[in-house]
Amino acid sequence: MANVRIPRETKDRLAAVAAAEGLSLRAFLPRLAQMLLTPAERAEKARAALHDWNGYAPTAAQERDLDRELECRLARAAGR
């Protein structure tokens, strides 16, 4: 068991979502944790979906190039 301190509003929101699912907060939190993905897991899932959809399978070098391009576009959009 672990104690986690969170703002009251957050606890109340989680408890409301859990209740809507017919669960206690204690039962809901492990279920929620299982549903959440890390950024790396989300990226892998997106890559797999793109590959399944249209065969998209960039090389590591292509991914780095695309990441750099995205960073540049985001910086321009943010006015940097």
Side-chain angles (χ1 to χ4, degrees):
M1 179 185 294
N3 290 319
V4 178
R5 293 187 185 270
I6 58 173
R8 168 65 61 186
E9 300 80 24
T10 302
K11 179 187 175 284
D12 292 345
R13 172 71 179 142
L14 288 169
V17 172
E21 295 284 328
L23 298 169
S24 68
L25 185 54
R26 183 182 298 258
F28 177 71
L29 289 176
R31 182 174 160 200
L32 177 63
Q34 288 300 314
M35 293 185 319
L36 298 175
L37 300 174
T38 65
E41 290 168 331
R42 282 193 305 271
E44 181 54 38
K45 198 168 188 164
R47 274 191 292 276
L50 283 169
H51 184 267
D52 290 348
W53 177 53
N54 67 6
Y56 182 72
T59 65
Q62 288 171 320
E63 284 186 17
R64 284 190 301 276
D65 291 345
L66 291 167
D67 286 344
R68 278 194 292 275
E69 176 65 22
L70 178 58
E71 287 171 8
C72 288
R73 288 180 186 217
L74 289 172
R76 275 193 303 247
R80 292 185 262 152

